[in-house]
Amino acid sequence: MKQLCEDLEASLAMVIGEAEMGMLARAVVIAEILDDNGQRTLTLLTTPGLTEWDSLGMCRYGATAIEGFAGADFINGGDE
C-alpha cells in the first residue's frame, strides 16, 4: 500500500504541476474500487506521512465544501 500511495503522490504532483496550480503539499483521495468479481469498496489513499488526524480534517473540509455547493444548487434550482 505504501508504494501505491507514493505513486499516487508522484502522479498528483505531476498533474497539478502541469496544470500550473502550484506544488502538491499533501492529498487525500477517496476512490471506489471495482474488483474482478464486481465487488465495490471505498479506499482511502493519502500522501505518505499524512497523519490520520490530518486526513480526517481534510475529508471533513471536502465534505463541507461539497455540501455547500449542493445546498446552493438546491436553493438556486440547479440541475439534478
Side-chain angles (χ1 to χ4, degrees):
M1 183 64 97
K2 181 181 179 204
Q3 185 61 48
L4 177 63
C5 289
E6 289 174 357
D7 292 346
L8 173 69
E9 179 182 35
S11 297
L12 283 172
M14 183 181 69
V15 170
I16 289 170
E18 287 177 356
E20 298 181 0
M21 295 175 65
M23 184 177 73
L24 178 68
R26 53 192 180 161
V28 173
V29 174
I30 301 170
E32 182 179 43
I33 307 295
L34 181 62
D35 69 15
D36 293 338
N37 298 324
Q39 290 290 109
R40 295 176 187 266
T41 57
L42 284 178
T43 301
L44 179 70
L45 304 167
T46 67
T47 50
L50 189 63
T51 65
E52 290 179 356
W53 186 256
D54 286 333
S55 297
L56 177 61
M58 291 175 75
C59 286
R60 286 192 174 158
Y61 176 85
T64 301
I66 292 168
E67 288 168 353
F69 294 133
D73 280 348
F74 177 77
I75 290 170
N76 296 325
D79 295 332
E80 296 180 26

